[in-house]
Amino acid sequence: MQLNVKVYSDGAELSAMKQVAAQGLVQGFTTNPSLMKAAGITDYLAFAREAVATFPDQSISFEVFANQPEQMLKEALVLSHLGQHVAVKVPIIRATGEDNTAVISKLSQAGVQVNVTAITTLTQVKQAVDALDPAVGGIVSVFAGRIADTGVDPLPLMRQAADLCHTKAGVKLLWASTREVFNIVQADRMGCDIITVPPKILEKLSKFGKDAFQVSIDTVKTFDQDIAELGFSIPTTSLQSTPID
């Protein structure tokens, strides 16, 4: 199946990033503080510099850690200077409920490629698009998976978000918090430019387009293999019921 959406790897383990890149599965990378915590990163800038040096020609997003505007601006400038294709992730909102549009606007006007993250509403999409300089462009990351986690279908929002983002030159819509391979197809259908996919889901891309009947056979083969390895059996010698003819 030919898709237009670009696939980025979402993670902070350099070995996994190298593996998916070597397989030709992705066109870029994204990270965030939670992923870095899970990966055991202890030196943020050292990791970021190594990642940029490893993938100098691919888009890679690093997030600011600060939650105050002035410090966010300073951190964003440090991150943006790491490489030509670095995008700086700035959440659309702070934990206080205040928006970060002023920070995003200042960075964009200064020539920084901003990846506006943690977006879950159409209002936030509009705020992000309005804050980005068309001469610089940027990325609008909508957390479709987290929206779906609340029991709400994210597809109508993603379609509207694509229409909004594409009203301004250079602004790209990113489907974030991917939960399954089919999300890649959905992102493409909704007009998203990018989707970030964790390595565990990227591993399943080998099944992409596989015949459904073959999936059934492969599933039973896995059951048979696991049964053999368990060494279990169900005793039938004491069966009292009438045998089935």
Side-chain angles (χ1 to χ4, degrees):
M1 183 181 294
Q2 186 66 37
L3 301 176
N4 294 316
V5 66
K6 291 184 177 180
V7 177
Y8 285 14
S9 177
D10 192 30
E13 294 184 22
L14 200 60
S15 58
M17 294 165 71
K18 290 178 180 178
Q19 183 176 0
V20 296
Q23 294 171 343
L25 298 176
V26 299
Q27 293 81 48
F29 303 89
T30 57
T31 65
N32 65 46
S34 296
L35 292 171
M36 290 184 178
K37 178 183 176 183
I41 301 297
T42 57
D43 189 327
Y44 185 7
L45 284 181
F47 163 75
R49 289 192 182 101
E50 186 176 2
V52 171
T54 305
F55 312 105
D57 300 319
Q58 291 179 290
S59 175
I60 184 165
S61 293
F62 299 109
E63 189 164 338
V64 295
F65 274 22
N67 55 24
Q68 293 301 315
E70 287 305 314
Q71 187 62 23
M72 292 171 80
L73 289 169
K74 292 177 182 178
E75 289 183 0
L77 290 177
V78 171
L79 294 173
S80 68
H81 288 148
L82 292 176
Q84 180 182 355
H85 301 290
V86 168
V88 179
K89 296 178 76 171
V90 178
I92 188 64
I93 197 170
R94 299 196 287 280
T96 58
E98 299 170 279
D99 69 72
N100 280 324
T101 52
V103 172
I104 296 163
S105 181
K106 286 181 181 178
L107 290 171
S108 188
Q109 290 175 12
V112 175
Q113 182 80 4
V114 182
N115 180 339
V116 188
T117 190
I119 294 174
T120 57
T121 72
L122 195 62
T123 297
Q124 291 175 332
V125 173
K126 189 176 187 307
Q127 289 175 327
V129 173
D130 289 344
L132 294 171
D133 189 329
V136 178
I139 300 171
V140 175
S141 291
V142 180
F143 280 52
R146 297 201 181 204
I147 295 170
D149 288 344
T150 68
V152 175
D153 182 1
L155 298 186
L157 171 60
M158 299 308 290
R159 171 62 74 187
Q160 291 175 296
D163 291 341
L164 266 176
C165 289
H166 298 156
T167 61
K168 183 174 282 190
V171 175
K172 299 176 181 178
L173 174 63
L174 183 151
W175 176 302
S177 62
T178 296
R179 301 295 191 243
E180 57 186 3
V181 172
F182 187 61
N183 290 158
I184 301 174
V185 177
Q186 291 174 313
D188 188 70
R189 290 176 179 173
M190 293 305 104
C192 298
D193 302 287
I194 305 165
I195 181 169
T196 55
V197 184
K200 286 187 177 180
I201 297 178
L202 286 171
E203 291 173 2
K204 298 180 181 181
L205 287 182
S206 61
K207 300 179 183 179
F208 205 86
K210 181 179 284 190
D211 177 75
F213 184 72
Q214 185 61 48
V215 172
S216 182
I217 291 176
D218 291 345
T219 300
V220 177
K221 284 181 177 179
T222 301
F223 291 163
D224 288 347
Q225 181 179 344
D226 290 341
I227 290 167
E229 291 179 4
L230 284 169
F232 291 169
S233 64
I234 301 174
T236 59
T237 54
S238 60
L239 189 67
Q240 300 297 320
S241 59
T242 303
I244 299 172
D245 293 331

